[in-house]
Amino acid sequence: MSAKTKEFTALYLAEHERLERQIRRRVGCASTASDLVHDIFLRLWERTTARLGDPAAYLSRSARNAAIDHIRTEKRRSTFFGAILPEQYAAPCASPEEAISARQDLRAIEDALAALPERTRHIFLLNRVYGRSFSEIAQVVGISRRAVTKHMARAVAVCEEIG
């Protein structure tokens, strides 16, 4: 065991209970306090290459700051979630009429796309479903970017006629 490891272990054993009590008083939760103390010592282990002047004072200040940061984060989180309305948690269920209408719209779009020439349909799907750019499509299909634009305009016009 290296000298640094021995010093660090001794410091942890001497200070962790005091720091947990200090943080627990501020945050009101023993498990959160324990987690924050472990985070403090982990950061100390990762950062410290030189000796600390007064490790107890440094750890006390770190514990105070960790508790304050945790309280601020929890306050921000509760404010954010408190502003969300219950209807924002999940999308409302569709009524049977809406579901049937959506299926009919989807069927109409599928029929319209099936009626397109094969190359136009392929280009449309590459762009809208697979997210390919016009330049990428032009390169893959072997046509100009302008031709891709014309095929896309034709496919979009067909879709707009439906909706």
Side-chain angles (χ1 to χ4, degrees):
M1 191 182 267
S2 72
K4 178 185 174 185
T5 305
K6 286 180 183 177
E7 275 185 52
F8 191 81
T9 303
L11 180 63
Y12 179 81
L13 292 173
E15 297 291 332
H16 86 277
E17 288 181 22
R18 180 182 66 82
L19 295 174
E20 281 185 24
R21 281 193 309 273
Q22 179 183 345
I23 293 174
R24 189 177 335 119
R25 279 193 304 268
R26 286 185 180 265
V27 299
C29 177
S31 64
T32 300
S34 178
D35 288 345
L36 292 175
V37 168
H38 288 156
D39 288 346
I40 291 166
F41 276 100
L42 179 63
R43 275 187 258 124
L44 179 65
W45 176 262
E46 291 172 344
R47 292 182 186 165
T48 308
T49 55
R51 291 188 45 101
L52 294 173
D54 184 7
Y58 176 83
L59 289 171
S60 291
R61 174 60 67 156
S62 295
R64 180 180 175 275
N65 291 344
I68 290 169
D69 289 345
H70 176 77
I71 291 167
R72 284 181 185 154
T73 300
E74 289 301 310
K75 186 175 182 180
R76 205 173 317 122
R77 186 176 292 137
S78 67
T79 301
F80 173 77
F81 287 115
I84 295 176
L85 300 173
E87 42 291 342
Q88 291 174 312
Y89 286 120
C93 295
S95 69
E97 294 84 15
E98 292 170 333
I100 291 171
S101 176
R103 274 193 218 114
Q104 289 172 342
D105 292 346
L106 181 59
R107 214 170 289 125
I109 290 173
E110 288 173 345
D111 292 343
L113 291 177
L116 288 172
E118 185 176 341
R119 180 176 268 186
T120 303
R121 180 176 55 251
H122 182 67
I123 290 170
F124 179 80
L125 293 174
L126 283 174
N127 179 256
R128 295 301 169 105
V129 176
Y130 297 104
R132 302 290 183 237
S133 69
F134 285 14
S135 299
E136 290 173 327
I137 295 169
Q139 190 175 16
V140 169
V141 177
I143 58 176
S144 70
R145 189 176 188 289
R146 185 176 174 138
V148 172
T149 304
K150 288 181 181 180
H151 282 284
M152 281 300 295
R154 197 176 306 138
V156 169
V158 167
C159 289
E160 287 177 349
E161 286 176 11
I162 296 167

